[in-house]
Amino acid sequence: MRIVTTWGANTNVGKTLVSSGLVLSALREHQAVQYLKPVQTGYPEDSDARLVSRVVDAWRLGDSFVSKTLFAWKDAVSPHLAAGTSPPDDASVVSAIRQSVAEENSDADLVVLETAGGPGSPGPSGRLQCDLLRPLRYPALLVGDGQLGGISTTLSSYEMLKVRGYSIPVIAIVENSGLENYKSIEKHVDAAVFPLSPCLPPPDQDNGIIDRHLKQWLMDTMDTFRDMESYLRRCAKQDREWLEQAGERTLHSIWWPFTQHQEISSGYENVTVIDSRAGEDMVIMNSNNNNHTLRSVYDGCASWWTQGMDAEHMPGMALEVAGAIGRYGHVIFPRNIHKPALDVAQQLIREVGKGWASRAFFSDNGSTAVEVALKMAFRKYMVDHDILHDDDVKLHVLGVQGAYHGDTLGTMDAVPPSVFNGRLQTPWFEGRGLFLDPPTVAIKNGAWVVQTDIKDYDVHIRESLDAHAKAYPDHCVGACIIEPVVQGAGGMRMIDPEFHRAMARVCRERNIPLIVDEVFTGIWRLGAPSAATSLLGITPDIGCYAKLLTGGVVPMSITLSSEEAGILYKPWATPCPTQTYAPQ
């Protein structure tokens, strides 16, 4: 079954006429067709479903045709006004459409779903229709505007749909003004543009059948609609074939992270092919038992914890990203600045780094953010302990068992051996540090229980550092790195908050810089700007942030630092070279 959503670039552009022509063309090709009007105003005097049904009856093709209106109001105004004080919520509208379409059970070959107004017209709740219908993301047939000014409205509507992820294979334009707007429009879109001849307005009286002008217009444009419907059919076939074949083709092309490829090499049905995303759900291809259908699934891991924004705010994020790309593209950053970078840096310093951070360093992912933090922390430690130019001193980190800070070489060495490192992952691996076994907390029988044999956390940490210093006399612990509250990749282990606080206290005593890796837990993941400061009450020297930083739409990370950790002002007795990953 194919589904096409008919959108209008404006009011009175002939959206229902185009829907009628498309329906009629499919019926003439012996296809079963369903016409669906989710929202109708001015009802029952005005009914688009009734007009399309009359067109079908005029050609006596009604045996394979069904039409339906889901929500209707009497006032001939915008849906958000007509619906009054008790409109259906967005989820109810989307659910009603899905139920009516019945994708897996319907006998229809083609479903034509016609919107009310344009992409930017409000739905019953007041939300824009292009956002309301975004979870469905059916292919769009945009009916352009053939009037003066119609080039602008058509292209604006096209871009409004495009930035929200709709595919727009076809634009149809009823050229009522003879301006040939289609010639300009087709130069600026990646869609097939079909011009249609003018259609004279109907007479005032309603005699229960279509008027002769409309019937003549449908006869005159029959060949164009046949070509249009055929083109849409080919596009749908290509899309379907791509989705069906993508899994098998992927096995010969893609190398995934964190994947045992031998487990999926036996069959492409183990590959999840994603068609789209809206809110917390993804639409995927269901290839089980050769039943190639699209279905919605819940993204339980928030796409590796990068997603935190609901469906309502996602279009705004897409617009911001598109706006930044359109204005800046990619520009060199050292000694330069632009508004998005400065705004983000200052907001994170004010909110996430409140009370301790003063500088922000941009990089491209969480692992790199930790690499930056390690360089900054080690530099601070060497300056504070006057070993900056002592090449004989080696540096270690203080961390905990089960930690994970990324997959670049430096971060892999800042954790103990695990499935994420070791010789099989990188022959260069060398766990460079003291890694304590932390007390964990869990709920048992409805109560929080601390699992540990350690009696005094502070004493235990001091004694462990002292023993490590004796075992490695040419090494210094130059940084402490923790994942506040909970270890993500380590198995969602909850660390006793008192143990993290003790680590912070001891590091302060010994002037060891403290790094909080909040790539997973930071930026409101745990309901607070910073798990370290807001939940644990500790003050770090350096913090690492990514994932929720961009909502997962682009790879980016930020390393926040205190003024001292950045060493931006401290005088040295001798000159010091500039660092490549941390401020001088």
Side-chain angles (χ1 to χ4, degrees):
M1 179 177 63
R2 296 177 293 121
I3 306 173
V4 176
T5 303
T6 308
W7 298 85
N10 210 332
T11 57
N12 298 320
V13 294
K15 187 165 71 268
T16 306
L17 300 183
V18 173
S19 294
S20 299
L22 185 64
V23 166
L24 186 60
S25 179
L27 290 171
R28 288 171 59 85
E29 295 293 326
H30 307 290
Q31 300 179 54
V33 180
Q34 178 184 6
Y35 172 86
L36 188 63
K37 183 74 174 181
V39 174
Q40 177 74 63
T41 60
Y43 189 86
E45 288 79 9
D46 187 9
S47 171
D48 294 335
R50 183 173 61 229
L51 176 61
V52 177
S53 295
R54 287 178 178 179
V55 168
V56 173
D57 290 341
W59 266 264
R60 299 181 180 178
L61 296 171
D63 292 343
S64 301
F65 175 73
V66 176
S67 67
K68 188 174 184 181
T69 301
L70 299 181
F71 299 93
W73 295 273
K74 183 177 181 180
D75 293 338
V77 293
S78 178
H80 73 293
L81 299 175
T85 58
S86 302
D89 59 44
D90 296 341
S92 296
V93 175
V94 171
S95 177
I97 293 172
R98 283 184 170 143
Q99 184 176 354
S100 296
V101 170
E103 295 177 339
E104 296 186 15
N105 302 311
S106 175
D107 293 329
D109 299 302
L110 173 66
V111 176
V112 177
L113 188 154
E114 183 177 324
T115 61
S121 298
S125 71
R127 194 176 180 201
L128 302 185
Q129 286 190 80
C130 55
D131 296 331
L132 165 62
L133 300 181
R134 189 169 173 267
L136 302 172
R137 217 80 62 91
Y138 297 140
L141 191 169
L142 176 60
V143 181
D145 191 343
Q147 304 295 321
L148 182 64
I151 296 173
S152 177
T153 57
T154 302
L155 293 179
S156 296
S157 297
Y158 176 84
E159 293 178 1
M160 185 176 285
L161 292 170
K162 198 78 171 176
V163 79
R164 286 164 172 79
Y166 290 90
S167 61
I168 312 166
V170 166
I171 297 176
I173 304 177
V174 182
E175 294 284 0
N176 279 334
S177 297
L179 299 176
E180 297 185 329
N181 285 353
Y182 76 95
K183 290 184 177 180
S184 295
I185 290 170
E186 64 186 1
K187 296 177 182 178
H188 303 285
V189 298
D190 182 21
V193 181
F194 290 85
L196 295 162
S197 60
C199 181
L200 295 176
D204 293 334
Q205 71 274 14
D206 183 357
N207 56 11
I209 60 174
I210 64 171
D211 64 275
R212 58 186 178 85
H213 295 155
L214 176 54
K215 189 168 186 178
Q216 185 62 49
W217 180 79
L218 289 168
M219 294 176 64
D220 294 341
T221 56
M222 193 171 293
D223 290 345
T224 303
F225 277 113
R226 183 189 61 233
D227 294 342
M228 187 189 305
E229 197 277 329
S230 177
Y231 182 81
L232 286 167
R233 200 185 320 155
R234 290 198 304 274
C235 290
K237 183 174 182 292
Q238 291 171 0
D239 292 343
R240 173 68 61 171
E241 288 176 348
W242 188 93
L243 289 167
E244 291 174 351
Q245 298 170 7
E248 185 173 7
R249 290 160 56 193
T250 296
L251 295 179
H252 304 289
S253 307
I254 300 297
W255 189 263
W256 286 294
F258 301 105
T259 301
Q260 296 297 323
H261 285 73
Q262 66 269 24
E263 294 181 0
I264 59 174
S265 61
S266 59
Y268 68 88
E269 63 275 2
N270 295 315
V271 179
T272 300
V273 181
I274 301 172
D275 176 71
S276 60
R277 179 193 183 95
E280 297 179 327
D281 295 330
M282 298 185 297
V283 176
I284 68 170
M285 171 61 73
N286 179 20
S287 297
N288 294 332
N289 301 319
N290 293 319
N291 181 23
H292 297 290
T293 56
L294 292 174
R295 63 188 179 96
S296 181
V297 296
Y298 178 70
D299 184 4
C301 72
S303 287
W304 269 341
W305 320 115
T306 62
Q307 305 297 310
M309 191 164 292
D310 62 16
E312 184 175 351
H313 292 92
M314 281 183 171
M317 173 176 281
L319 284 172
E320 288 295 325
V321 172
I325 293 172
R327 187 176 184 89
Y328 302 102
H330 176 74
V331 292
I332 191 170
F333 197 55
R335 296 196 181 188
N336 298 301
I337 197 61
H338 47 72
K339 190 175 188 299
L342 185 57
D343 286 352
V344 167
Q346 290 183 329
Q347 183 174 356
L348 287 176
I349 290 170
R350 285 194 309 270
E351 299 180 11
V352 178
K354 183 178 181 180
W356 66 270
S358 65
R359 304 279 173 165
F361 187 94
F362 286 90
S363 55
D364 57 345
N365 59 71
S367 185
T368 309
V370 175
E371 295 269 2
V372 172
L374 290 170
K375 288 189 174 186
M376 296 171 74
F378 288 150
R379 172 87 158 258
K380 182 180 188 302
Y381 181 87
M382 290 188 293
V383 170
D384 289 346
H385 294 265
D386 198 23
I387 58 172
L388 184 62
H389 301 291
D390 189 344
D391 294 337
D392 294 330
V393 176
K394 309 301 181 185
L395 295 175
H396 273 177
V397 299
L398 172 63
V400 297
Q401 295 290 327
Y404 172 84
H405 301 296
D407 288 299
T408 51
L409 292 177
T411 60
M412 292 177 83
D413 279 4
V415 296
S418 71
V419 296
F420 301 109
N421 53 34
R423 185 170 181 82
L424 293 179
Q425 297 294 339
T426 169
W428 283 357
F429 170 72
E430 180 183 346
R432 304 169 191 265
L434 167 61
F435 305 108
L436 307 174
D437 190 10
T440 58
V441 294
I443 295 179
K444 291 187 177 181
N445 298 321
W448 285 100
V449 177
V450 179
Q451 299 170 312
T452 184
D453 295 326
I454 304 172
K455 295 182 178 180
D456 188 311
Y457 291 166
D458 293 67
V459 171
H460 173 73
I461 295 168
R462 292 190 193 102
E463 291 177 348
S464 298
L465 283 168
D466 293 341
H468 187 77
K470 290 181 180 179
Y472 299 90
D474 58 342
H475 287 68
C476 292
V477 173
C480 174
I481 182 167
I482 63 172
E483 298 166 89
V485 180
V486 58
Q487 294 178 327
M492 297 299 176
R493 293 202 309 167
M494 305 287 289
I495 308 300
D496 184 1
E498 284 300 325
F499 191 76
H500 276 158
R501 295 185 184 112
M503 292 180 73
R505 285 194 298 270
V506 174
C507 287
R508 284 283 174 262
E509 292 173 2
R510 305 196 176 201
N511 203 11
I512 298 173
L514 174 63
I515 302 168
V516 290
D517 176 357
E518 298 201 90
V519 170
F520 171 52
T521 60
I523 313 183
W524 288 272
R525 170 62 69 193
L526 299 183
S530 165
T533 59
S534 303
L535 302 182
L536 296 182
I538 62 177
T539 301
D541 297 286
I542 306 165
C544 307
Y545 305 90
K547 293 189 182 293
L548 286 181
L549 176 63
T550 69
V553 296
V554 291
M556 183 181 291
S557 61
I558 280 185
T559 304
L560 296 181
S561 76
S562 65
E563 194 77 7
E564 287 189 353
I567 314 182
L568 294 158
Y569 69 95
K570 191 169 184 177
W572 293 298
T574 57
C576 181
T578 300
Q579 284 183 289
T580 55
Y581 267 103
Q584 181 177 351

